[in-house]
């Protein structure tokens, strides 16, 4: 199970961005660890209500994982045609980002701090760069986002490109949105279409 432990750690690097490729999806988990059948979309949507309402996402997206991983409550989805990964992560004591971080220059500093703590891992991130920033519609709000690029060590995928954003629920708790793909395949349109169709739920609460 050492490999599984490593993969779970990778999923947390850069707010779960790196794990999108490293985890490899629920099918891989089933095949490798024989943990049961793949859950239905209906069951995953129901299970994910404490994070957000995914019932209105377009058909080309599929939820692949909804779980508590080392204190992080995350829901991961896949854009089937391109393999682009998307996730919504509840904030926790160890994982906090705010909308202000996108304005005051703290975003890169916080992510670099996470990378430094995990630099000893066999798989880790190097040369994290913020490429551009802007705003987008997500979960009924206009929110800031930053597009990034990062190099990954010891994986077939050498460079990732993606975006990270933050939305606040009615209780003032932040939810972190991430989308990533191979550097040459990332699409901001795919990311925005997904998050625009995700909704906040009344029972949305951060798991700590």
């Amino acid at each position: 199970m050492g490999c599984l432990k490593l993969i779970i750690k990778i999923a947390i690097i850069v707010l779960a961005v790196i794990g999108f490729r490293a985890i490899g999806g629920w099918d891989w988990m089933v095949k490798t660890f024989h943990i049961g059948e793949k859950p239905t979309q209906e069951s995953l949507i129901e299970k994910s209500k404490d994070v957000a309402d995914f019932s209105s996402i377009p058909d080309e997206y599929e939820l692949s994982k909804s779980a508590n991983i080392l204190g992080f409550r995350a829901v991961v989805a896949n854009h089937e045609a391109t393999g682009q990964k998307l996730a919504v992560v509840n904030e926790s004591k160890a994982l906090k980002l705010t909308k202000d971080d996108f304005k005051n220059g703290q975003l890169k500093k916080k992510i670099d701090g996470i990378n430094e703590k995990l630099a000893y891992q066999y798989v880790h991130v190097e040369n994290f760069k913020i490429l551009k920033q802007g705003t987008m519609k997500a979960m009924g709000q206009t929110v800031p986002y930053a597009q990034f690029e990062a190099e990954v060590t010891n994986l077939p995928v050498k460079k990732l490109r993606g975006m990270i954003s933050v939305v606040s629920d009615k209780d003032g708790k932040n939810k972190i949105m991430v989308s990533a793909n191979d550097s040459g395949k990332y699409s901001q349109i795919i990311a925005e279409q997904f998050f625009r169709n995700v909704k906040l739920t009344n029972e949305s609460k951060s798991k700590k």
Side-chain angles (χ1 to χ4, degrees):
M1 295 298 288
C3 180
L4 176 58
K5 184 178 180 181
L6 173 61
I7 290 171
I8 291 174
K9 288 182 178 179
I10 294 169
I12 296 173
I13 299 174
V14 191
L15 312 178
V17 174
I18 304 308
F20 293 157
R21 292 294 301 191
I23 288 175
W26 183 258
D27 289 334
W28 183 89
M29 297 281 281
V30 170
K31 180 179 178 181
T32 304
F33 298 105
H34 309 288
I35 56 178
E37 296 181 358
K38 180 179 177 180
T40 65
Q41 285 298 288
E42 290 76 13
S43 65
L44 282 172
I45 289 171
E46 182 65 27
K47 184 180 179 181
S48 302
K49 282 185 175 180
D50 62 312
V51 177
D53 179 358
F54 296 89
S55 62
S56 297
I57 61 174
D59 291 340
E60 61 262 36
Y61 301 89
E62 182 179 65
L63 297 188
S64 58
K65 187 70 175 174
S66 177
N68 293 289
I69 304 174
L70 300 181
F72 294 78
R73 179 72 177 102
V75 178
V76 181
N78 178 61
H79 183 258
E80 296 184 9
T82 65
Q84 185 159 318
K85 306 300 180 181
L86 313 101
V88 179
V89 185
N90 278 356
E91 72 172 6
S92 69
K93 292 180 180 179
L95 179 61
K96 285 185 177 292
L97 279 182
T98 70
K99 293 178 180 179
D100 287 341
D101 291 331
F102 290 77
K103 303 175 184 179
N104 59 20
Q106 291 298 303
L107 178 63
K108 187 176 187 302
K109 182 178 179 180
K110 285 189 175 181
I111 294 176
D112 284 344
I114 295 172
N115 288 336
E116 287 176 7
K117 292 177 182 179
L118 296 170
Y120 65 90
Q121 296 287 349
Y122 180 70
V123 178
H124 61 274
V125 177
E126 295 179 346
N127 299 321
F128 179 88
K129 299 177 182 178
I130 292 178
L131 303 178
K132 63 177 291 186
Q133 293 186 233
T135 60
M136 67 181 194
K137 296 289 186 181
M139 301 194 200
Q141 300 178 20
T142 298
V143 298
Y145 74 85
Q147 285 190 20
F148 65 84
E149 191 172 69
E151 296 176 5
V152 191
T153 65
N154 299 313
L155 281 180
V157 177
K158 299 303 180 184
K159 186 175 288 187
L160 291 175
R161 184 164 180 168
M163 63 127 276
I164 185 166
S165 182
V166 173
V167 65
S168 299
D169 68 17
K170 68 180 184 65
D171 297 321
K173 301 295 185 180
N174 292 321
K175 296 176 182 295
I176 298 152
M177 297 172 288
V178 187
S179 182
N181 206 343
D182 295 354
S183 182
K185 298 180 181 178
Y186 173 74
S187 168
Q188 182 68 20
I189 293 174
I190 288 173
E192 293 192 25
Q193 178 177 255
F194 177 81
F195 293 118
R196 186 169 60 246
N197 286 282
V198 178
K199 302 174 184 178
L200 292 170
T201 54
N202 292 333
E203 59 264 58
S204 293
K205 295 184 182 295
S206 292
K207 300 287 186 181
K208 296 186 178 182

